[in-house]
Amino acid sequence: MLSKRLSSITPSFTIGISSKVSQLKKQGQDIIDLSIGEPDFSTPDAGKDEAVKAIFANKTKYDLVPGIIELRNEIVDKLYKENNVKYDTDEIVISNGAKHAITNALISILDYNDEALIPKPYWVSYPEMVKLVGGVPVFVDTKKENQFKITPHEIESSITPNTKILFLCNPSNPTGAIYTKDELQSIVDVCVKNNIYILADEIYESICYGNEYISVASISNHAKDITITINGFSKSASMTGWRLGYSASNKTLAKAISTVQGHLVSHPSTISQWAGYGFLINAKDEMRQMVEMYKKRRNLAVSMLSKIKDLDYIYPQGAFYVFIDISNLKDKLKTTESLSIQFCESLLQEEKVAAVPGIAFGMDDYIRISYACSNDDIVEGIHRIDRFINNLNK
Ligand SMILES: Cc1ncc(COP(=O)(O)O)c(C=O)c1O
């Protein structure tokens, strides 16, 4: 019999859609996949070269639990120069992807029935991760007119004596919204006042278009002390399969996170860690080029979407997603169940376009599309969405 804890866990929606799409593609169907949360670029050579060098230099044995010292030092340097936060090497723990870094942090912080505030819309795995470690996800409604960014008032009205941590995904998956310095400052103030940790998921931090990006830990010493910054290489370095992420937190937490990791997995593959090192020291230009490409694709996607009169969307300032409001189509889709699932299933069936239903992010009036794909796919995919909606109107 499975554990009681597992009985409330839903399998990942996005991973489910990806396997459906690959099945359909294998059957030879002409699918445009706008569901994917994965960069379409290859891992930069700087990362691959360093990994190959590490293999042949026999850097293939157990190493330090929080990660190889060279990579942790580079991460410290990056966080200081790019994010304006001064961490020490022993405040960094390198993990098997950002997912693992988040889970380690939650195990270290949450006791049974401790509450985690999760602003809606949220990244699909947050609630399930909280439940897996015995905590309670508490969903916080946010407003469209604020681009679904959480406000201090919304946080305060959800706090109970059991509240332990707030999730802050910045830039947001699924909306691409980015918090300003003032917004972050006021969130920090509420969290410091109420003794709440901030889990700052900054995995999309380098994919930011134009605006100055502010890391919440850089706001003040107080902010740094209560924040667990999560970042990684999956999105910024196009290294999803290498499974490499990290957390930066105060020394006590970092030590706890390292203890958890030590018992569960020891450390991520040393080869992947050397690839991450190579990326950080030698792939800045390639990263800038990738971000330029994403920006052009963002512009292309929103210019097409803005011409579809039944749709509205949150203007993305970062990441590589558009969160699209489909509520105007409620009458036309005539569903008694989930609007976003009905929309995505019909879209896939009729127009062979894969998108993610907003219900996966806690908001059923929306769908999410990704523009981490070619310009041709963006144009053809949105063209088909337009045709799908026109056909509904007939
Ligand atoms: C907001 C967010 N956090 C974390 C992750 C997980 O990243 P990783 O592949 O490094 O585990 C993702 C991946 O989609 C994500 O979108």
Side-chain angles (χ1 to χ4, degrees):
M1 210 163 49
L2 297 178
S3 68
K4 286 199 192 85
R5 187 183 299 171
L6 212 69
S7 63
S8 68
I9 305 296
T10 327
S12 166
F13 232 110
T14 40
I15 291 178
I17 293 169
S18 294
S19 30
K20 195 167 181 180
V21 167
S22 52
Q23 255 176 12
L24 292 172
K25 279 185 174 170
K26 267 192 204 133
Q27 289 165 12
Q29 298 208 27
D30 161 34
I31 306 286
I32 303 284
D33 188 3
L34 302 183
S35 74
I36 197 138
E38 178 169 48
D40 58 326
F41 302 109
S42 302
T43 298
D45 285 350
K48 292 189 277 197
D49 286 345
E50 208 62 42
V52 170
K53 268 202 292 190
I55 292 174
F56 286 98
N58 292 314
K59 294 177 178 171
T60 53
K61 303 286 170 129
Y62 285 136
D63 209 299
L64 299 175
V65 165
I68 60 171
I69 202 91
E70 293 83 352
L71 178 56
R72 279 189 289 149
N73 285 341
E74 281 309 316
I75 290 171
V76 165
D77 199 51
K78 178 245 177 295
L79 289 171
Y80 184 57
K81 290 191 183 137
E82 294 177 15
N83 304 86
N84 202 23
V85 205
K86 179 93 196 71
Y87 283 104
D88 291 332
T89 307
D90 62 357
E91 294 176 318
I92 310 297
V93 182
I94 303 167
S95 302
N96 293 297
K99 263 186 181 168
H100 182 217
I102 297 171
T103 319
N104 280 342
L106 295 178
I107 295 175
S108 306
I109 287 174
L110 293 181
D111 276 314
Y112 275 98
N113 292 329
D114 277 349
E115 292 173 2
L117 299 183
I118 303 183
K120 274 164 71 172
Y122 48 77
W123 178 52
V124 286
S125 291
Y126 294 152
E128 311 310 296
M129 288 167 155
V130 169
K131 287 190 273 177
L132 273 172
V133 307
V136 180
V138 174
F139 299 107
V140 186
D141 286 323
T142 58
K143 293 200 177 66
K144 187 177 178 189
E145 63 259 34
N146 298 333
Q147 299 162 290
F148 295 120
K149 290 189 276 186
I150 196 162
T151 64
H153 175 69
E154 287 157 355
I155 298 172
E156 258 181 329
S157 49
S158 307
I159 291 175
T160 74
N162 291 341
T163 308
K164 209 65 179 288
I165 195 165
L166 165 74
F167 278 79
L168 203 66
C169 188
N170 182 33
S172 158
N173 176 4
T175 65
I178 295 183
Y179 286 81
T180 64
K181 190 171 184 179
D182 288 348
E183 287 164 347
L184 292 174
Q185 176 70 64
S186 55
I187 290 172
V188 165
D189 290 346
V190 180
C191 291
V192 169
K193 189 173 110 196
N194 292 283
N195 213 5
I196 296 173
Y197 287 111
I198 298 176
L199 188 135
D201 185 346
E202 302 194 347
I203 185 94
Y204 294 98
E205 150 264 353
S206 59
I207 307 171
C208 163
Y209 315 120
N211 324 45
E212 185 197 14
Y213 180 81
I214 309 286
S215 282
V216 66
S218 72
I219 293 286
S220 62
N221 286 339
H222 273 320
K224 188 193 149 194
D225 200 46
I226 60 163
T227 299
I228 304 104
T229 302
I230 304 290
N231 207 329
F233 296 78
S234 292
K235 317 290 171 170
S236 60
S238 209
M239 282 178 59
T240 44
W242 300 78
R243 308 309 301 129
L244 198 63
Y246 58 89
S247 62
S249 58
N250 69 42
K251 285 190 199 312
T252 314
L253 268 174
K255 202 167 162 216
I257 289 171
S258 183
T259 304
V260 170
Q261 170 153 303
H263 284 298
L264 294 181
V265 297
S266 297
H267 56 74
S269 147
T270 48
I271 307 308
S272 295
Q273 293 189 62
W274 281 106
Y277 172 80
F279 173 80
L280 281 186
I281 59 167
N282 245 336
K284 291 272 176 304
D285 285 346
E286 267 161 290
M287 205 186 79
R288 265 190 288 274
Q289 283 163 15
M290 290 192 260
V291 175
E292 265 314 300
M293 298 270 274
Y294 287 132
K295 187 172 177 181
K296 286 188 183 139
R297 292 168 180 184
R298 188 270 316 257
N299 293 346
L300 174 65
V302 297
S303 75
M304 289 186 74
L305 286 168
S306 54
K307 293 188 188 117
I308 305 180
K309 82 172 184 343
D310 282 322
L311 299 182
D312 190 19
Y313 58 86
I314 306 297
Y315 186 79
Q317 299 164 302
F320 39 62
Y321 306 107
V322 194
F323 203 45
I324 303 172
D325 185 342
I326 55 165
S327 57
N328 283 337
L329 299 168
K330 253 180 202 154
D331 292 343
K332 285 159 200 152
L333 277 158
K334 291 191 200 80
T335 175
T336 49
E337 311 241 316
S338 159
L339 175 71
S340 61
I341 292 180
Q342 159 94 47
F343 183 97
C344 291
E345 281 182 350
S346 306
L347 181 67
L348 186 58
Q349 200 172 351
E350 286 165 35
E351 290 292 351
K352 312 280 179 252
V353 175
V356 184
I359 200 167
F361 310 98
M363 303 202 63
D364 197 27
D365 282 353
Y366 287 76
I367 61 161
R368 188 200 74 181
I369 63 166
S370 159
Y371 49 89
C373 55
S374 68
N375 282 359
D376 286 352
D377 277 2
I378 294 170
V379 171
E380 180 59 19
I382 298 179
H383 171 67
R384 291 186 195 182
I385 292 175
D386 190 20
R387 190 166 60 199
F388 172 73
I389 292 171
N390 281 333
N391 285 340
L392 288 177
N393 285 331
K394 278 181 190 156

